[in-house]
Amino acid sequence: MPPWSFVGRNAELVRLSEAATGSTGRGLILGGPPGIGKSRLLREGVNALDQDRLAVWTATANAATAGLPLGGLAQVLPPDQPAGGSPAGLLRWAVDALHRQAAGRPIVVAIDDAHLLDPLSAALVYYVARSENATVIGTVRTGEPVHDPISALWKDDLVERIELTPLTLQETSDLLLQVLGGPVDSASVDRLQQLSQGNALLLRELVIAAHASGEIIESYGMQRWTGKVDLAPTLTEVVDARIGKLTPQERAVLELVAFGEPIGLPLLVNATDLNTVETAEERQLIRVVVEDRRTTVRLAHPLYGEVVRRRCPVTRVRRLLADLAGLVESSGARRRDDLLRVAVWRLDSDTARDPQQLLMACRLAFATYDMALAMRLGKAALAAGGGFDAAETLATILMFVNMPEEAVAILDANEEQTVDESQRSRWLAIRHITAQWGLGDTGTVEDINRQAHKLNDLRERSLVLAVESTMRLHRGDNAQALTLARQVLDSAASAPGPRALARSNMGQLQAMRGTPVQTVKAMAAIDAEAAQWRAEVPYIQLGIELARGTAMILAADLGAVDAIVAAEFAGMADAGNFNMGSGYLQIVRAQAARLRGRLPEAARAAAQACAALATGKVFVALAHAERAHVAALTGDGPAAAEAFAIAESSHYRSMECLYPWLEEARAWVAVASGDVSTAAEVLRLLAARTRSDGFAAHEMFALYHLGRLGFAGEVCDRLDALSHSVEGRTAPAMAWHIRAIAGEDGGSLLAVAEELADQELNLYAAEAAAGAVTLLRGIRSPQTPRAAQRLAELRVLCPIAVTPALVVPQPMLTGRERQIARLAAAGVPSKEIADQLYLSSRTVDNHLMRVYAKLGVTGRAELAAALRSLPPEE
């Protein structure tokens, strides 16, 4: 593993430099807890100083020198310290010695861990700070006592003291990227940020331990942490140092909180004693917070829990967990999270006896998409005699953690236990879901149709019909899917869960057919009613996300994408390792980034989706197709072809509804290989197929891509027609763009570039601006410089994009023409140019006329912008 890089802290580095160079008139002291990065920041700041102009001395105080007079600064003082001098005499000698060594240069004294200085060194630092032509910079540990001369530095306004804040999530991500040599998936970054609390030292120890134990793995270029915390000795030592020595009573408090957090304050006090709890809070071992009208206690740092739990003997762990369960039960476990935690404590303490308690907890965990916990509880409930209900719930969870074979085995073994139509409908639903999406059995849809009509109870039948509707939608049987969805919704007997699933099916169809805005609103309405169905059928959320994601991308509503990937479901899916859900949301994030022209971001999200979905079948082809599409847009033909080959091999009939995205990717892979004619034919076939299926929104994109590749005249009329029926701002802008290309209207292309940029469709906007530059330059339009400037601005937003429409034919200026043009653009008159270059004024003017013609400008005022759009001279 390479050395740890220094990232972030740019503002603090600037302030440190300004203080050291005397521009602020004061020094600077950096405060913060251990490991926050004070020492590294000070070192980076000192290394950046001009040590020829400044006399810079650095020292690190430590406990070993704290009892020696001037021991903390022995590194910077001459060895000939006078013997037997008074403290005042030693101070005068030390100050004079520093100034002699500086030889007239400004003095900068940098002290790391200044709170550990001996009293005389602390006094010397104070006197240096007060002396002329000298500055003090340094670090202190927040909360540690310091000698009066050090605290007087900021009290007397000789230095500014600032507290370093933890690393931000983005700084943590940047640091991990550099250290691990590749992008890190967002769930791993979130978890490492949570455990380290933005503390650079703890983050370093966590990553080193995880890397050494093989818990950081790479998949499709994406680094991913398995989540297992390996308490290496160095990490344990760091945490132990922060915890300090504990009395038996304090250890008891920490153990209860470690296993029970968040634990109610009254419960903790009853189980221990108030004085010890207060002491633990004063020592910042625990924190007491008010959460939703409850006063709860948590550990002050997540890693405290890891250390405390790991060191607790097994017998004590079992006793503590049983005690916690009894405490909560005796107080009345009324909340869902209480019920879940009590069941887990009972399971882990081997005191679980109630299969219904375990099953209810299993369903609660599944409803929050904590898949590993749900699976544990489901297996325990089945083993404890939970019967069919436990078997069906566990099989459902196994399906959605990509273990379909186990799910089928459990379902088939428990089919005979179905005693009523409620159980039968649930068995049919999950058995056919597993067969179609887990095993890839494309024939199962006909069987579910036959089985559904054997159910007499319309409420129970509604679930099977809604599942069949979803299966047919994904297979491409759109008319039948819609009929079944309407049948569910038209029946007053249908349950809330089947209704939500049927509405999501209709929403996805509506989005593809051209009303994506309505679909987004419809999915928000379903979310508002989630309490009615999520506990029973939480997997329905995946259908809702598919409909919503499809709609947002087809409407190019990128702000809505930002909101949804930051919403509750995305967070729960990431935290709970619900890879099917989090993987799909990464695909949507990649699609949105691609539309914005942020291709590195899109590539990372697509790779993360491929890694998350690698062990299953659902959405895998779409993830690799998106990876191929992004690679193609960067001009990386081999990578695009490799990714698309995987997409093709993993695509199957049960996800046929995804074909428009795959065919778009196929076209751009052909473009990246230089075969535009094949790409055009792929897009023509895609447009014809989507038109036949009634997918107007997908047809619009297919035609738009075809127009961008140089076939605008062929598609502009149909795009105009679609722009009046497909919802959203994007359809009219696309039609306008292609109409402007077909009409060779540079002014319109410049205007549409602004409209597309306003929608954050930066790649499309850059292509429109590139077309505008070419056309406007050809007619020597006065708009040419503005178009060239706008193109340059948009290219900054999508710098690595490579598409045919971004190519602007560049005029060839001779060396002499460039020379004259640069001088003219700088405002030098023709006569002076002629004198400088030993030419006649007429020759200079003739050169300028040829330059104006080549660049499409009308005079000197437009030259500067036009020259900036040219490639550099070879």
Side-chain angles (χ1 to χ4, degrees):
M1 183 180 295
W4 278 65
S5 306
F6 182 81
V7 301
R9 308 292 195 195
N10 293 327
E12 291 88 346
L13 267 177
V14 170
R15 293 173 75 173
L16 198 61
S17 174
E18 290 174 347
T21 56
S23 59
T24 64
R26 295 187 295 169
L28 183 67
I29 296 293
L30 306 168
I36 200 70
K38 307 181 298 297
S39 299
R40 182 64 183 273
L41 176 59
L42 180 65
R43 188 162 65 249
E44 294 291 330
V46 168
N47 289 341
L49 296 177
D50 182 355
Q51 303 207 18
D52 291 329
R53 191 179 67 83
L54 301 171
V56 182
W57 286 291
T58 62
T60 300
N62 56 68
T65 61
L68 301 175
L70 294 181
L73 296 179
Q75 307 160 58
V76 302
L77 293 174
D80 56 341
Q81 179 177 330
S86 66
L90 285 175
L91 287 177
R92 284 194 297 273
W93 166 82
V95 171
D96 291 343
L98 290 176
H99 279 284
R100 283 196 304 274
Q101 292 177 141
R105 294 173 297 166
I107 293 175
V108 178
V109 176
I111 309 295
D112 194 17
D113 289 336
H115 57 283
L116 295 177
L117 285 172
D118 61 278
L120 197 57
S121 293
L124 174 57
V125 169
Y126 179 81
Y127 279 113
V128 169
R130 290 193 66 90
S131 66
E132 293 184 6
N133 212 26
T135 304
V136 170
I137 57 178
T139 71
V140 294
R141 183 177 297 178
T142 301
E144 293 287 336
V146 297
H147 292 297
D148 289 341
I150 297 300
S151 61
L153 289 173
W154 52 85
K155 290 178 181 177
D156 293 351
D157 207 29
L158 299 174
V159 302
E160 179 185 7
R161 174 170 173 170
I162 62 173
E163 293 294 310
L164 288 190
T165 56
L167 294 174
T168 65
L169 184 64
Q170 185 59 54
E171 287 171 340
T172 297
S173 180
D174 293 343
L175 183 55
L176 292 172
L177 170 67
Q178 293 186 31
V179 171
L180 297 176
V184 183
D185 78 305
S186 58
S188 298
V189 174
D190 288 343
R191 177 72 171 140
L192 287 165
Q193 171 79 0
Q194 179 188 9
L195 274 177
S196 68
Q197 298 284 285
N199 184 288
L201 176 61
L202 292 176
L203 178 66
R204 178 180 181 274
E205 295 298 336
L206 279 167
V207 172
I208 289 175
H211 191 270
S213 59
E215 299 300 329
I216 293 179
I217 56 180
E218 181 180 351
S219 182
Y220 300 104
M222 183 67 58
Q223 304 287 330
R224 184 166 59 88
W225 179 41
T226 64
K228 181 181 177 182
V229 179
D230 186 9
L231 288 177
T234 52
L235 178 57
T236 305
E237 289 168 6
V238 171
V239 177
D240 279 341
R242 297 185 67 165
I243 293 177
K245 290 185 177 181
L246 298 173
T247 66
Q249 294 81 6
E250 290 168 346
R251 183 171 297 281
V253 168
L254 252 64
E255 287 176 348
L256 276 171
V257 179
F259 286 101
E261 65 177 335
I263 183 172
L265 179 60
L267 288 181
L268 181 61
V269 171
N270 288 340
T272 56
D273 69 85
L274 180 59
N275 289 336
T276 307
V277 173
E278 288 179 355
T279 302
E281 186 181 10
E282 286 175 358
R283 291 186 56 188
Q284 297 184 12
L285 300 172
I286 61 173
R287 53 191 178 92
V288 179
V289 294
V290 177
E291 295 177 326
D292 192 20
R293 295 182 296 177
R294 276 188 172 185
T295 303
T296 59
V297 182
R298 295 178 181 271
L299 291 173
H301 197 286
L303 283 177
Y304 292 179
E306 297 289 343
V307 171
V308 170
R309 287 189 292 269
R310 195 70 60 90
R311 287 186 169 163
C312 200
V314 173
T315 52
R316 192 188 304 164
V317 170
R318 291 160 65 93
R319 176 180 60 77
L320 284 169
L321 294 176
D323 289 347
L324 284 166
L327 282 168
V328 174
E329 287 172 337
S330 65
S331 67
R334 294 179 295 274
R335 300 193 181 194
R336 287 190 169 193
D337 58 342
D338 287 340
L339 297 173
L340 176 59
R341 294 196 302 151
V342 166
V344 173
W345 290 332
R346 288 294 181 201
L347 178 61
D348 290 342
S349 64
D350 199 23
T351 58
R353 302 290 182 266
D354 184 357
Q356 288 305 310
Q357 180 189 52
L358 293 168
L359 178 57
M360 184 181 299
C362 168
R363 288 173 173 169
L364 290 172
F366 189 16
T368 58
Y369 307 103
D370 189 339
M371 307 305 283
L373 180 58
M375 188 160 55
R376 276 189 63 217
L377 289 164
K379 289 180 177 180
L382 184 60
F388 171 80
D389 289 342
E392 179 264 338
T393 302
L394 176 58
T396 304
I397 294 165
L398 290 169
M399 161 60 203
F400 285 95
V401 295
N402 297 319
M403 300 172 69
E405 292 82 5
E406 287 188 41
V408 166
I410 290 173
L411 287 167
D412 290 348
N414 288 273
E415 182 179 6
E416 298 303 320
Q417 292 195 46
T418 56
V419 297
D420 54 33
E421 289 202 341
S422 172
Q423 291 184 340
R424 182 63 181 168
S425 69
R426 285 157 46 206
W427 186 93
L428 288 170
I430 193 58
R431 182 61 176 81
H432 288 82
I433 285 173
T434 305
Q436 172 153 315
W437 287 292
L439 303 178
D441 182 354
T442 58
T444 191
V445 69
E446 305 304 333
D447 183 63
I448 197 174
N449 180 266
R450 289 190 296 270
Q451 298 293 338
H453 291 90
K454 295 179 182 180
L455 298 172
N456 297 314
D457 189 318
L458 296 180
R459 180 182 177 85
E460 306 309 334
R461 187 191 295 178
S462 67
L463 175 60
V464 182
L465 293 177
V467 168
E468 183 187 350
S469 170
T470 308
M471 295 169 72
R472 292 193 179 277
L473 170 64
H474 287 198
R475 281 166 48 94
D477 303 335
N478 303 317
Q480 291 172 285
L482 187 58
T483 298
L484 288 164
R486 284 175 174 161
Q487 187 176 338
V488 171
L489 294 173
D490 289 345
S491 172
S494 296
R499 284 183 172 276
L501 186 55
R503 288 166 67 189
S504 72
N505 293 340
M506 293 184 68
Q508 186 175 345
L509 277 170
Q510 287 174 336
M512 294 189 291
R513 290 180 172 180
T515 57
V517 177
Q518 292 183 38
T519 294
V520 172
K521 293 178 180 177
M523 296 307 102
I526 298 175
D527 274 342
E529 302 167 359
Q532 301 177 24
W533 52 263
R534 181 171 286 169
E536 295 296 322
V537 279
Y539 58 83
I540 286 176
Q541 188 72 45
L542 199 57
I544 295 168
E545 298 305 329
L546 177 57
R548 182 174 11 227
T550 300
M552 291 186 300
I553 296 302
L554 290 176
D557 189 347
L558 306 183
V561 173
D562 293 341
I564 204 62
V565 298
E568 180 187 31
F569 173 70
M572 290 192 297
D574 278 348
N577 289 322
F578 182 28
N579 290 336
M580 201 178 295
S582 61
Y584 176 68
L585 289 180
Q586 286 295 339
I587 294 172
V588 176
R589 181 181 280 125
Q591 291 173 324
R594 169 170 54 80
L595 290 172
R596 282 184 165 119
R598 300 175 185 171
L599 300 185
E601 178 185 333
R604 285 194 299 272
Q608 189 167 329
C610 292
L613 298 165
T615 59
K617 294 180 180 294
V618 182
F619 305 128
V620 176
L622 181 59
H624 286 285
E626 186 59 33
R627 189 163 65 95
H629 195 155
V630 173
L633 291 176
T634 67
D636 190 344
E642 175 269 333
F644 193 75
I646 300 175
E648 277 197 302
S649 65
S650 55
H651 183 51
Y652 66 121
R653 179 80 196 279
S654 297
M655 295 301 291
E656 188 63 22
C657 65
L658 303 177
Y659 78 85
W661 310 112
L662 271 69
E663 293 306 307
E664 281 186 23
R666 186 193 303 277
W668 283 101
V669 171
V671 172
S673 70
D675 191 352
V676 175
S677 61
T678 294
E681 189 56 31
V682 169
L683 291 169
R684 289 188 186 101
L685 292 173
L686 175 59
R689 183 177 176 185
T690 51
R691 185 171 186 177
S692 175
D693 286 338
F695 295 162
H698 278 302
E699 182 191 357
M700 178 190 71
F701 270 93
L703 295 175
Y704 185 59
H705 294 318
L706 194 55
R708 291 166 57 208
L709 290 177
F711 303 91
E714 178 182 330
V715 301
C716 62
D717 290 341
R718 177 60 182 164
L719 264 178
D720 274 344
L722 288 171
S723 70
H724 294 94
S725 60
V726 176
E727 288 181 337
R729 291 176 61 189
T730 302
M734 287 179 169
W736 183 13
H737 185 182
I738 300 306
R739 176 67 69 184
I741 294 174
E744 298 186 351
D745 186 342
S748 289
L749 281 173
L750 181 56
V752 79
E754 297 295 347
E755 171 62 20
L756 291 167
D758 190 55
Q759 297 182 40
E760 294 189 85
L761 301 174
N762 300 316
L763 176 56
Y764 302 157
E767 290 183 347
V773 169
T774 300
L775 292 170
L776 294 172
R777 181 180 286 158
I779 61 173
R780 300 182 67 180
S781 167
Q783 290 183 292
T784 303
R786 186 161 71 90
Q789 181 65 31
R790 196 68 184 103
L791 173 59
E793 294 166 353
L794 289 165
R795 286 297 277 156
V796 169
L797 301 176
C798 45
I800 65 172
V802 179
T803 69
L806 285 172
V807 176
V808 178
Q810 297 293 352
M812 296 296 295
L813 298 185
T814 66
R816 178 66 81 185
E817 287 170 346
R818 278 186 183 254
Q819 191 178 25
I820 292 171
R822 284 200 194 96
L823 291 168
V828 180
S830 293
K831 187 173 187 315
E832 291 186 23
I833 296 173
D835 291 342
Q836 287 185 36
L837 302 181
Y838 304 101
L839 301 172
S840 68
S841 295
R842 173 171 291 185
T843 300
V844 169
D845 288 338
N846 288 339
H847 277 301
L848 284 174
M849 292 303 293
R850 285 194 293 274
V851 169
Y852 298 158
K854 289 181 179 181
L855 297 183
V857 298
T858 58
R860 290 172 180 252
E862 302 166 7
L863 263 182
L867 288 172
R868 282 196 297 271
S869 70
L870 295 180
E873 286 181 283
E874 295 183 0

